[in-house]
Amino acid sequence: MAAQSSATDTPTTDGFTDKLVSVRRTAKVVKGGRVFGFSALVVVGDGQGRIGFGQGKAKEVPVAIQKATDSARRNMIHIQLNGTTLYHEVRSHHGASKVVMLPASEGTGVIAGGAARAVFEVMGVKNVLAKNIGSTNPINVVRATIKGLTSMLTPEYVAKKRGKSVNEFSHTQEKN
């Protein structure tokens, strides 16, 4: 049985923002009754492209959240952004969860559901359209979102790979 997400925002003194995505409760039936355990999913970001996620399991919720936060801080990656949005459309999946992410114009805001919204907010993306397709399991949605963001290509990378300058590359795109 899963307790639904209560995405809480916690800014810290070191410049990172923690967001609790979900807490799940599990029960083990033993001779004396039920023993409950908790699993927490947390995303951590600096608002400028750095993002990490972690899971923690414990007998109490605060301990599980602390473990998840520590894990997220240890596993941070940096993702290049185009100002406050993405460079191009990204489709990604993890397990049965699929996520489609589209760049949006200034003023659109974060239009995304559940776990994907938490990832964008702590990462610093202000304008994006995203849709979860298939399973909405928070763990798989977070993994699919981050996998898709890491696969995003920058214009500098594409221009270098094609042996052109960024200006040449952007002009040829405008003509088409």
Side-chain angles (χ1 to χ4, degrees):
M1 178 173 200
Q4 268 312 311
S5 63
S6 60
T8 56
D9 234 351
T10 314
T12 56
T13 56
D14 59 358
F16 292 113
T17 304
D18 307 337
K19 191 174 274 267
L20 177 64
V21 178
S22 71
V23 175
R24 296 188 304 172
R25 185 181 80 170
T26 60
K28 177 182 177 184
V29 179
V30 295
K31 184 178 176 183
R34 292 185 189 95
V35 175
F36 294 108
F38 297 92
S39 146
L41 176 65
V42 173
V43 289
V44 176
D46 67 351
Q48 288 161 17
R50 288 193 63 191
I51 182 82
F53 75 96
Q55 289 178 267
K57 297 178 181 180
K59 298 288 182 193
E60 288 121 27
V61 175
V63 179
I65 292 170
Q66 186 58 47
K67 285 182 179 182
T69 304
D70 293 343
S71 174
R73 286 170 186 265
R74 280 193 305 269
N75 300 314
M76 304 260 315
I77 57 171
H78 187 269
I79 294 168
Q80 287 288 108
L81 297 175
N82 184 11
T84 60
T85 190
L86 311 178
Y87 281 106
H88 56 81
E89 176 183 341
V90 179
R91 294 172 186 262
S92 180
H93 70 91
H94 185 87
S97 295
K98 295 178 193 70
V99 180
V100 178
M101 298 168 271
L102 304 166
S105 58
E106 193 63 37
T108 303
V110 176
I111 300 175
R117 173 181 287 274
V119 170
F120 293 128
E121 287 176 351
V122 299
M123 198 171 89
V125 175
K126 302 273 190 270
N127 302 295
V128 69
L129 301 167
K131 177 72 180 159
N132 297 337
I133 302 169
S135 172
T136 56
N137 177 334
I139 297 166
N140 287 348
V141 171
V142 167
R143 286 181 182 269
T145 304
I146 292 176
K147 185 194 291 185
L149 291 170
T150 56
S151 71
M152 190 169 51
L153 304 174
T154 64
E156 292 81 17
Y157 174 80
V158 174
K160 183 179 174 188
K161 192 161 180 144
R162 293 182 184 184
K164 297 185 175 189
S165 71
V166 177
N167 292 337
E168 283 181 289
F169 179 68
S170 61
H171 289 306
T172 56
Q173 290 295 321
E174 290 171 7
K175 291 177 187 173
N176 292 337

